[in-house]
Amino acid sequence: MSERRAVVTGAGSGIGLAIARELLSRGYSLLACSRFDHELDALAGALARGRVDRFARDLATQEGVSDLLATVDRLESPPDLLVNCAGLGAWGEHLAIDDARTRATIAVNVAALTAITTHVVRAMVGRGSGRVLQVASTAAFQPVPMFATYAATKHYVRAFSDALRDELDGTGVTITVLYPGPTKTAFIDAARFPIEGAAGSVGWIAKQTLLDPADVAKKGVDAALRGDRGVVVGPLNQLQRALSKVLPDTATRAIWKALRGRM
Ligand SMILES: NC(=O)c1ccc[n+]([C@@H]2O[C@H](COP(=O)([O-])OP(=O)(O)OC[C@H]3O[C@@H](n4cnc5c(N)ncnc54)[C@H](OP(=O)(O)O)[C@@H]3O)[C@@H](O)[C@H]2O)c1
């Protein structure tokens, strides 16, 4: 049997790096994608053993995405697993956020994810098998004031992936959505997500419940390989998901408004 191969975006840091390591430990070889080549040095041991091909481009650009698709086409066969983990966001009043940052958030979280998924899934369907893992967020379950664009992009990831999954019934290809809550990665600082600044009990809970990227990665990979529809990581996040299913929109928005005042 030939070696199993995965394509992982965002593989140079955080959850994507943890997913890359998890897959290497399970015997996969990787096309590891990152914005900057040096970030992939984090996979040094596996790079040295020839189990990782590096791909470094900006996925906020059309050229970066096209180059990735062309690189995937040059693989011996379609990947067994695609992981869309590259993503970014910016916390703050929407009108005060730099427009370039908002554009990049939509370009990577929505446009690149859609183009990569579409291209790779077509090839997987042609072969009759494949798994896709989309990294969304618990921000996909309700609007999040102060995280307006980011949360909206993660709603998109959820809606697009769930619908495509249903269209793919019977093809041998499955799509799984991973919903982490706040996780200890560079994202927290880059997005200026106010974990450190959060006040009182909100701050305490936020710090206590920060997820470990290795744990998020393991749960995501397990779910994707089983072909599950989705996985919410962490008990508080599972509670948040359950509440978002039963509470009316007005109540979840009121809760976020109250939390926002403490962050
Ligand atoms: N950490 C959290 O609290 C949390 C919670 C829920 C969901 N998530 C999601 O988890 C995913 C991974 O985030 P993370 O927490 O692991 O943070 P991270 O360490 O910042 O990882 C994000 C990855 O996406 C890459 N990326 C960003 N912009 C890119 C671009 N223009 N072109 C190519 N790659 C780009 C980053 O590369 P650079 O390092 O070069 O920027 C990095 O490898 C994201 O989709 C995020 O939305 C994170």
Side-chain angles (χ1 to χ4, degrees):
M1 197 182 131
S2 65
E3 193 175 44
R4 286 166 302 165
R5 181 178 280 276
V7 173
V8 183
T9 72
S13 66
I15 297 170
L17 174 61
I19 289 174
R21 289 185 170 138
E22 180 67 31
L23 290 170
L24 286 166
S25 78
R26 297 181 191 218
Y28 280 76
S29 63
L30 303 181
L31 175 61
C33 314
S34 187
R35 191 152 51 126
F36 302 112
D37 192 66
H38 68 85
E39 291 175 322
L40 295 168
D41 291 346
L43 296 166
L47 278 166
R49 290 191 298 281
R51 291 180 52 210
V52 177
D53 291 323
R54 331 162 66 117
F55 176 91
R57 296 283 191 292
D58 184 350
L59 294 179
T61 66
Q62 183 56 51
E63 305 77 61
V65 174
S66 300
D67 282 354
L68 174 56
L69 303 187
T71 304
V72 170
D73 285 346
R74 287 194 294 273
L75 298 174
E76 248 168 63
S77 58
D80 302 281
L81 173 66
L82 165 67
V83 181
N84 274 305
C85 189
L88 68 154
W91 179 267
E93 300 278 357
H94 178 69
L95 299 184
I97 289 171
D98 180 43
D99 290 345
R101 180 86 183 172
T102 298
R103 272 197 304 277
T105 301
I106 297 168
V108 176
N109 299 12
V110 174
L113 176 137
T114 306
I116 297 165
T117 303
T118 306
H119 192 86
V120 173
V121 167
R122 262 193 202 121
M124 287 174 166
V125 168
R127 180 186 52 203
S129 68
R131 302 273 190 242
V132 178
L133 179 62
Q134 313 280 47
V135 182
S137 162
T138 49
F141 299 135
Q142 64 291 299
V144 185
M146 305 294 276
F147 231 176
T149 304
Y150 176 74
T153 64
K154 295 300 182 177
H155 279 66
Y156 175 90
V157 174
R158 177 176 159 224
F160 168 68
S161 305
D162 265 359
L164 181 57
R165 178 191 169 95
D166 287 345
E167 287 185 26
L168 293 173
D169 260 358
T171 63
V173 181
T174 57
I175 304 203
T176 301
V177 186
L178 173 62
Y179 301 99
T183 306
K184 278 177 234 150
T185 71
F187 176 89
I188 298 280
D189 289 334
R192 308 215 171 120
F193 192 67
I195 293 282
E196 287 306 326
S201 52
V202 172
W204 186 85
I205 292 171
K207 279 169 215 151
Q208 303 310 309
T209 55
L210 263 184
L211 299 171
D212 170 20
D215 188 41
V216 173
K218 186 175 178 328
K219 296 211 162 72
V221 169
D222 281 343
L225 297 184
R226 280 195 303 267
D228 293 352
R229 180 175 286 273
V231 56
V232 182
V233 185
L236 260 193
N237 300 316
Q238 285 159 357
L239 176 67
Q240 178 193 339
R241 172 61 182 137
L243 288 176
S244 76
K245 280 183 179 167
V246 294
L247 290 177
D249 253 18
T250 42
T252 49
R253 284 210 303 277
I255 292 170
W256 270 101
K257 232 176 170 175
L259 285 174
R260 171 192 153 174
R262 311 198 57 173
M263 293 174 103

